[in-house]
Amino acid sequence: MGFRLPGIRRASFAENQASSKAVEVPKGYLAVYVGERMKRFVIPISCLTQSSFQDLLSRAEEEFGYDHPMGGLTIPCREDVFQNITSRLNGL
């Protein structure tokens, strides 16, 4: 049996999107959305020049063009793959 607490409600997608925009991205960084759950990552813009990351950007362009569903840059790959690539880039 379930019950509902009057002060608690599920946030809508629009509210989640608005709240994620409220979190500022530091200068020199970029917010991207990755994976099926569209998890938000903040990465240094220096990643944009690396060939492995440029491959991800090409995939994003092929899949989404310039109309990204989250309003930000959406990377079409699994979270673990993305984390593997970015962790290798951070070591450079």
Side-chain angles (χ1 to χ4, degrees):
M1 173 175 19
F3 60 94
R4 176 172 261 193
L5 298 174
I8 299 174
R9 63 185 173 92
R10 182 177 296 219
S12 70
F13 174 77
E15 288 170 332
N16 283 337
Q17 190 174 18
S19 67
S20 69
K21 287 181 181 177
V23 177
E24 291 190 27
V25 177
K27 186 175 184 176
Y29 288 80
L30 171 71
V32 297
Y33 298 90
V34 180
E36 290 181 14
R37 297 181 317 185
M38 294 295 174
K39 184 172 180 180
R40 185 175 190 254
F41 291 90
V42 178
I43 59 168
I45 59 172
S46 60
C47 290
L48 298 175
T49 62
Q50 302 301 318
S51 61
S52 57
F53 197 82
Q54 288 179 356
D55 291 340
L56 292 176
L57 292 175
S58 294
R59 288 177 48 195
E61 181 184 16
E62 289 171 12
E63 185 163 329
F64 301 112
Y66 295 104
D67 182 28
H68 293 271
M70 293 296 290
L73 182 58
T74 306
I75 305 292
C77 74
R78 294 189 338 246
E79 288 178 32
D80 61 329
V81 172
F82 181 79
Q83 289 176 320
N84 186 358
I85 290 171
T86 55
S87 67
R88 283 188 280 134
L89 294 177
N90 287 335
L92 295 178

